[in-house]
Amino acid sequence: MSDQETTVAALRALVESFVDQREWHQFHSPKNLSMSLAVEAAELMEHFQWITGEASREIGSDSRKLEAVSDELADVMCYALALANELSIDVDTAMRVKMKKNEAKYPIR
Amino acid sequence: MSDQETTVAALRALVESFVDQREWHQFHSPKNLSMSLAVEAAELMEHFQWITGEASREIGSDSRKLEAVSDELADVMCYALALANELSIDVDTAMRVKMKKNEAKYPIR
Amino acid sequence: MSDQETTVAALRALVESFVDQREWHQFHSPKNLSMSLAVEAAELMEHFQWITGEASREIGSDSRKLEAVSDELADVMCYALALANELSIDVDTAMRVKMKKNEAKYPIR
Amino acid sequence: MSDQETTVAALRALVESFVDQREWHQFHSPKNLSMSLAVEAAELMEHFQWITGEASREIGSDSRKLEAVSDELADVMCYALALANELSIDVDTAMRVKMKKNEAKYPIR
C-alpha cells in the first residue's frame, strides 16, 4: 500500500486496532493524547534542533536520519489519528473546513 | 468526502496546493515545519490544559469546543503532511513500519 | 531590583503569592503545570518560527518584539517556578546537580 | 547554596560559563534555544503523560521519579536562562512586568 491508495479510515483503523488490542482506551483521554502528540512533535523537532533550515532540507540524503524522522512523524500521525478516533472527528472534513478559513486568512496575492 | 473515501495522497495534495499557491516552500524547511507542528500541538493541548482527563472525554458534547479542537487537529495534520511532502515520506509506509516496531515493543498480553 | 540582587526564592515567592491569592493550587497539579510550561514554551518558539537563526539574534533590536519575547520567557519562568513550588524542588540544587551530569556528558575539549 | 541565597545572576553565570567553555554560542541562536526549551519542556511533561493530575501530586514521594523530574526542570531552567543571556533579558524585570499584566487580566475576586 501507499498514500496513493490508502484511505485515512484505513490508517485510523490500524491505530484503533493497536489501541484496542492493548486495552489502552482507558489511558487515551483526549487530554492525555494531546500531551502525547506534543511529546512526539518535540521528539521530531529534536532532529532539527541544532542544524540550519537549509541543512534540514538535505536530511533525506542520510537514510538513517530519514528513517528516524519518519518514525517520529509516524508517531505524530498515530496520536493525531488516535485523538480523531476518541473524539469521532472526521479528519478530511476538519482539514477542508480549516483550509477554507486559512484561504480567507491568507488570500493568494 | 470523508475519511472513508479520502486517500492520504488527496489530503497531501490539498496541503501541497495551498503551500504552492502562496509560494511558501521557501519557508517550509523541515526545521521550520517541525517547529510549526510543535506549536500547533501545543495549541491543541491548550484546550485540555486545566480540565481533568475525564472531562476531556466529554468535550465532544460541546459543539463549539469540538470545532475549536477539530481546527487545531487539522492544523497539526496540515503541518505533518507538509513535512511528509517536503521530505517525500510516504505516511502509510512510515506508519506501518513504526507500528511493527511498536508491536514488538508492546506485545499483546 | 534586577537579576544581580534577586534571589530565586524571591521570584518563587512572587509566583506562590499570585497563585495563592487566586486559589489556583487546586488546578496546579504537576501534570497540569507541565502542560502549561510546554504551551508557554511553544508560544515563545512561535516568535522564531519563520525566521532564520541569524535573524533571531537580531530580535533584540526591535523593542516591541523583544517585549513580546520577554513576556513569553516570563511565562515560562512562572510555570517552571510554580512547578518547583508544588514539588518543593530547590532550583539551585537541581541545576547544579544536572550541570555536573552535563559536564561529564560534554567534557571541555 | 540554595534558592534562599542564590541570585538569578549566579545561575545565569553558571549557564554562561558552561556554554562559553564549550564554544556553543555559535549554536545558541534564540531560534535554536526556543526549540531546545520546548524539547525539554516536553521531556518534563513525558513524566506526567499517563498519570492523573492527582497522582502527579504524589510524585515527590518516589525519590527516583523526583530526581528525574528535577533533572528535566533543571534543563528547562538552563535553556530559559541561556535565552535570557543571549538576548540580555533581565528575568526579574521580565517576570515583574508580566505579573502586573497577569494581575490586571486575572484580578483577585
Side-chain angles (χ1 to χ4, degrees):
Chain A
M1 296 283 282
S2 84
D3 289 351
Q4 288 301 325
E5 303 134 42
T6 308
T7 61
V8 178
L11 294 183
R12 292 179 67 147
L14 194 72
V15 173
E16 174 62 20
S17 165
F18 188 88
V19 172
D20 201 46
Q21 286 169 345
R22 281 152 190 83
E23 298 181 11
W24 281 356
H25 283 294
Q26 56 184 317
F27 305 113
H28 278 202
S29 66
K31 180 180 176 109
N32 285 359
L33 289 175
S34 75
M35 293 174 80
S36 304
L37 187 54
V39 165
E40 296 302 336
E43 291 184 6
L44 178 59
M45 192 163 61
E46 219 176 331
H47 292 279
F48 303 110
Q49 196 171 350
W50 301 118
I51 62 176
T52 64
E54 282 319 299
S56 77
R57 293 185 191 270
E58 304 305 322
I59 213 163
S61 63
D62 179 332
S63 64
R64 270 183 44 206
K65 281 191 189 162
L66 186 61
E67 190 191 331
V69 167
S70 296
D71 274 5
E72 299 298 352
L73 183 61
D75 283 337
V76 165
M77 288 294 300
C78 282
Y79 282 119
L81 296 181
L83 184 58
N85 284 342
E86 294 293 339
L87 291 175
S88 301
I89 293 171
D90 189 79
V91 171
D92 176 71
T93 305
M95 282 183 66
R96 289 178 197 276
V97 166
K98 189 56 175 22
M99 279 299 204
K100 286 284 172 207
K101 295 181 189 176
N102 290 347
E103 281 167 18
K105 193 172 172 186
Y106 303 105
I108 304 171
R109 297 180 205 182
Chain B
M1 295 285 283
S2 84
D3 289 350
Q4 288 301 325
E5 301 133 45
T6 308
T7 61
V8 178
L11 294 182
R12 290 178 68 147
L14 194 71
V15 173
E16 175 61 22
S17 165
F18 188 88
V19 173
D20 201 47
Q21 285 169 346
R22 281 153 191 83
E23 297 180 14
W24 281 354
H25 282 294
Q26 57 183 318
F27 304 113
H28 279 202
S29 66
K31 180 180 176 106
N32 284 0
L33 290 175
S34 75
M35 294 175 79
S36 305
L37 187 53
V39 166
E40 296 301 336
E43 290 184 5
L44 178 59
M45 192 163 61
E46 217 176 333
H47 292 280
F48 303 112
Q49 196 172 350
W50 301 117
I51 62 176
T52 66
E54 283 318 301
S56 77
R57 292 185 192 269
E58 305 306 322
I59 215 165
S61 63
D62 180 331
S63 63
R64 271 183 43 205
K65 282 191 189 162
L66 186 61
E67 189 190 332
V69 167
S70 296
D71 273 5
E72 299 297 353
L73 183 60
D75 283 337
V76 165
M77 288 294 300
C78 283
Y79 281 119
L81 296 181
L83 183 58
N85 284 342
E86 294 293 339
L87 291 174
S88 301
I89 293 172
D90 188 80
V91 171
D92 176 71
T93 305
M95 282 184 68
R96 288 177 197 277
V97 166
K98 190 53 175 28
M99 278 298 202
K100 286 285 173 208
K101 295 181 189 179
N102 289 347
E103 281 167 17
K105 193 173 172 187
Y106 303 105
I108 303 171
R109 300 183 201 179
Chain C
M1 296 283 281
S2 84
D3 289 351
Q4 289 300 327
E5 303 135 43
T6 309
T7 61
V8 178
L11 294 183
R12 290 178 69 147
L14 193 73
V15 173
E16 175 62 21
S17 164
F18 187 88
V19 173
D20 201 48
Q21 285 169 346
R22 282 152 189 83
E23 298 180 12
W24 281 356
H25 282 295
Q26 56 184 318
F27 305 114
H28 278 203
S29 66
K31 181 180 175 108
N32 284 0
L33 290 175
S34 75
M35 294 174 79
S36 305
L37 188 53
V39 166
E40 297 301 336
E43 291 183 6
L44 178 59
M45 191 163 62
E46 218 176 332
H47 292 279
F48 303 111
Q49 196 171 350
W50 301 117
I51 63 177
T52 65
E54 282 319 300
S56 77
R57 293 185 192 269
E58 305 305 322
I59 214 164
S61 63
D62 180 331
S63 62
R64 270 183 44 204
K65 281 191 189 162
L66 186 61
E67 189 190 332
V69 167
S70 296
D71 274 5
E72 299 298 353
L73 184 60
D75 283 337
V76 166
M77 288 293 300
C78 283
Y79 281 119
L81 296 181
L83 183 59
N85 285 341
E86 294 292 339
L87 290 174
S88 301
I89 293 171
D90 188 80
V91 171
D92 175 71
T93 305
M95 282 183 67
R96 289 178 198 276
V97 166
K98 190 54 175 25
M99 279 299 203
K100 286 285 172 207
K101 294 182 189 176
N102 290 347
E103 280 167 17
K105 194 173 172 186
Y106 304 103
I108 302 170
R109 298 183 202 180
Chain D
M1 295 286 280
S2 84
D3 289 351
Q4 288 301 325
E5 302 133 43
T6 309
T7 60
V8 178
L11 294 183
R12 292 179 66 147
L14 194 72
V15 173
E16 175 61 22
S17 165
F18 187 89
V19 172
D20 201 47
Q21 285 169 346
R22 281 153 191 82
E23 298 180 13
W24 281 356
H25 282 294
Q26 57 185 317
F27 304 114
H28 279 201
S29 67
K31 179 179 177 110
N32 285 0
L33 290 175
S34 75
M35 294 174 79
S36 304
L37 188 54
V39 166
E40 297 301 336
E43 291 184 5
L44 178 59
M45 192 164 61
E46 218 176 333
H47 292 279
F48 303 111
Q49 197 172 349
W50 301 117
I51 63 176
T52 64
E54 283 318 301
S56 77
R57 292 185 191 270
E58 305 304 323
I59 214 164
S61 63
D62 180 332
S63 62
R64 272 184 42 207
K65 281 190 190 162
L66 186 61
E67 190 190 331
V69 167
S70 296
D71 274 5
E72 299 298 353
L73 183 60
D75 283 338
V76 166
M77 287 294 301
C78 283
Y79 282 120
L81 296 182
L83 184 59
N85 284 342
E86 293 294 339
L87 291 174
S88 301
I89 293 172
D90 188 79
V91 171
D92 176 72
T93 305
M95 282 183 67
R96 290 178 197 275
V97 166
K98 190 55 175 24
M99 278 298 202
K100 286 284 171 209
K101 295 182 189 176
N102 290 347
E103 280 167 18
K105 194 172 172 187
Y106 304 104
I108 303 171
R109 295 181 205 181

